Amino acid sequence: MKAIKFSHDYPKLHGQITAELLAVKHLRIDRYTPEELLEYDTTYFEYAGNLGKIKEYFPLPTGDYIQLIFLGNLHIPFCTIRKAYPPSKVEYYTASIGETFIVKIKESETDDGE
């Protein structure tokens, strides 16, 4: 089974462990990108000792991306924004529409998240 890797345990994932890829959309991140989308896609929490949870954001610089839209094993949809380069990455995900992916979190895995 293919895997989709995440650098953090994002709230948008809702603890889901597998997900079917429903769609791949091209997306440009720039000054016109809705803040709501960036907030949804990039928010995660870090634990800072006595301070508790601190809200953090994964950086998404201006550029061309793809938005991967998934339906998780709890039937909760989520998306993730990934770089659209190299073109083989776009082809890989487009060819994978309809397939189920394992959701891997870097913090709980030995391999790198994305």
Side-chain angles (χ1 to χ4, degrees):
M1 188 178 293
K2 295 177 179 177
I4 184 75
K5 299 176 185 176
F6 292 89
S7 59
H8 299 88
D9 188 6
Y10 292 89
K12 66 184 178 183
L13 300 175
H14 293 279
Q16 297 177 105
I17 57 173
T18 62
E20 178 187 351
L21 180 59
L22 301 178
V24 177
K25 302 289 184 183
H26 290 273
L27 180 67
R28 173 110 181 124
I29 301 292
D30 58 24
R31 64 187 180 137
Y32 301 108
T33 303
E35 286 297 319
E36 294 87 351
L37 173 62
L38 297 175
E39 173 89 13
Y40 162 81
D41 195 76
T42 65
T43 299
Y44 65 93
F45 293 92
E46 287 288 338
Y47 291 95
N50 293 339
L51 298 176
K53 294 192 310 186
I54 296 177
K55 191 179 209 178
E56 299 281 350
Y57 300 94
F58 188 87
L60 286 178
T62 298
D64 293 316
Y65 292 85
I66 53 175
Q67 184 179 39
L68 306 176
I69 303 164
F70 287 92
L71 182 63
N73 61 287
L74 300 176
H75 303 285
I76 301 170
F78 65 90
C79 69
T80 184
I81 297 173
R82 303 295 169 104
K83 293 178 185 174
Y85 186 84
S88 60
K89 180 187 272 192
V90 178
E91 293 167 8
Y92 169 80
Y93 285 116
T94 301
S96 300
I97 292 173
E99 293 188 40
T100 299
F101 286 68
I102 296 171
V103 176
K104 290 191 173 185
I105 311 298
K106 179 182 177 186
E107 293 173 338
S108 63
E109 300 291 329
T110 57
D111 51 357
D112 291 335
E114 192 171 330

